[in-house]
Amino acid sequence: MKKLIALLFISNFAFSQIRPTTDFNTIFICIDSSTYESIFKDNYIKDSLFITREQSTQTNSDNYNGKYAIGEAATIEFFKPKPTGQFGDNLGDFGIEFKTRKIGELNKIVEEAGKNNFKIDTQITNLNETDTIIPWYKTVQLLHSKSNIELSFLEYQTEYLNYIGFEGDELTKEITFSEFNKILSNRKKYPRLFKKISSITIKVDKNTYENIEQFCRLNNMQKEGDFFFNSDLKIFTEVSRIACKSEIKKIELELLYTQPNKIIFVSEKLKYNLKSNKCEIIFE
């Protein structure tokens, strides 16, 4: 899993008990090198649509460089292929990540996954800063060894929150990702258009669909046909009858302000389609 160190602004599946609230904040994808180089070149994209950053990060398990489209309440992370064979470095690898709202909630998700016999893996990622190693975040990941999609939950660790300036009740109270970014920016108004991710459309095979179904269940999302939803997000699935590589087809963003309709072509593989207060990122 590849993360930005610190953002500047940075049928019903009901359970018998109240589940911790999670927020969908991050999606990452490994795109072709040509698209990666062009992803933020358009002036409208980098000056109006997103806060954009390119950054290198070193952890206890990886060393990577990525480009980040930062919104008021979400981030899209882009990486280009590397010949390592590791997940995330292969063209088309992508991940969907939800975050807990306060420390300790991830343990409840682990417990619920165990009750339902969902296969998971847990780990803590450390951030390697100059002469300092900081516990950064803990993840719970649903396991599916043959898939190029990663489904995970993330919870920031107390040491990291202290490191970026959180203190007192900020460490213990429930906080959304948009509120998290406001604290980091000293309550400055978000200066771009990208508010949040409102829907994603993905193509998957039957086995991967079952993993997505489990993932959405743990996130208290409801099911209708082949799509899952809650009050903030819809996950649309195109299910293949034969085994196939998973693909992101579209990411739909909600914008803070209505914009004139326009299409921005980044490359043969990717374009932005703006309609009113929505922006679709379409992968060809």
Side-chain angles (χ1 to χ4, degrees), residues 198-216:
S198 55
S199 75
I200 56 175
T201 301
I202 55 179
K203 179 182 177 180
V204 295
D205 60 22
K206 183 178 178 181
N207 288 334
T208 303
Y209 177 83
E210 291 175 354
N211 274 73
I212 291 171
E213 193 170 36
Q214 294 174 355
F215 186 62
C216 291

Side-chain angles (χ1 to χ4, degrees), residues 70-208:
I70 304 166
E72 184 181 61
T75 303
I76 306 170
E77 307 177 352
F78 299 98
F79 303 95
K80 62 182 177 181
K82 296 193 299 184
T84 65
Q86 295 182 356
F87 178 85
D89 291 336
N90 306 300
L91 181 64
D93 287 354
F94 68 98
I96 299 170
E97 177 188 284
F98 282 69
K99 290 184 178 69
T100 63
R101 289 189 176 182
K102 66 178 181 178
I103 294 171
E105 295 293 85
L106 202 60
N107 294 332
K108 299 177 183 178
I109 293 173
V110 171
E111 181 181 354
E112 197 61 53
K115 289 179 181 178
N116 289 274
N117 296 315
F118 296 163
K119 295 180 180 179
I120 62 171
D121 181 40
T122 62
Q123 63 178 347
I124 293 179
T125 297
N126 295 326
L127 178 64
N128 293 353
E129 289 285 75
T130 305
D131 299 324
T132 304
I133 298 177
I134 305 164
W136 187 0
Y137 56 83
K138 183 177 181 179
T139 54
V140 171
Q141 178 186 339
L142 286 177
L143 294 180
H144 181 15
S145 60
K146 296 182 179 180
S147 178
N148 63 304
I149 176 175
E150 181 178 275
L151 305 169
S152 59
F153 303 87
L154 180 151
E155 187 170 278
Y156 289 127
Q157 299 299 283
T158 302
E159 294 88 343
Y160 172 70
L161 293 174
N162 282 326
Y163 176 70
I164 61 175
F166 283 70
E167 55 187 17
D169 64 354
E170 292 174 342
L171 296 170
T172 56
K173 70 179 182 180
E174 185 174 280
I175 186 171
T176 66
F177 197 55
S178 60
E179 291 169 339
F180 175 87
N181 284 344
K182 285 179 182 178
I183 292 173
L184 287 184
S185 66
N186 294 318
R187 301 290 172 179
K188 292 179 181 178
K189 184 178 180 181
Y190 177 73
R192 299 290 192 269
L193 293 169
F194 175 23
K195 181 179 181 180
K196 67 174 187 176
I197 298 170
S198 55
S199 75
I200 56 175
T201 301
I202 55 179
K203 179 182 177 180
V204 295
D205 60 22
K206 183 178 178 181
N207 288 334
T208 303

